[in-house]
Amino acid sequence: MYALPMQVVDTFLLQYNLGQAILFLFIIATLGVLPLKSQKVLALQTTMFGVLFMIIPAIDGPFHFALLGLVLLLIGPILLTTAKR
């Protein structure tokens, strides 16, 4: 197995902040949940990522991630209450 030198990985990751990495994880996780066809799981995931996005600006990241977290925190419970399965 070929291991990448840490300098290459480090220079690639230095271009992004924590908010962008969590946004990428949110997109990948949402695509992973869609085949389950469970609106409740999607609602819980959306709410938890909303909490993460609300915490991120205090750690590292611009303010617009907090606004995204607020939107996700509003959408998550709405999805949960309208879920049938």
Side-chain angles (χ1 to χ4, degrees):
M1 180 178 195
Y2 178 72
L4 286 174
M6 290 305 291
Q7 292 86 7
V8 174
V9 175
D10 190 39
T11 56
F12 177 75
L13 291 178
L14 282 176
Q15 301 171 13
Y16 304 104
N17 63 17
L18 183 62
Q20 292 168 335
I22 302 252
L23 179 63
F24 178 72
L25 286 175
F26 174 66
I27 293 169
I28 296 298
T30 302
L31 291 175
V33 166
L34 288 179
L36 296 176
K37 296 180 182 172
S38 175
Q39 194 173 354
K40 286 186 179 182
V41 173
L42 182 64
L44 291 173
Q45 174 185 327
T46 304
T47 305
M48 292 311 296
F49 271 102
V51 170
L52 275 175
F53 280 120
M54 290 295 289
I55 294 171
I56 284 174
I59 299 171
D60 174 35
F63 181 69
H64 60 271
F65 287 117
L67 296 176
L68 176 63
L70 182 64
V71 169
L72 290 177
L73 280 175
L74 292 174
I75 291 175
I78 292 172
L79 284 173
L80 190 62
T81 56
T82 60
K84 295 179 183 169
R85 186 177 91 150

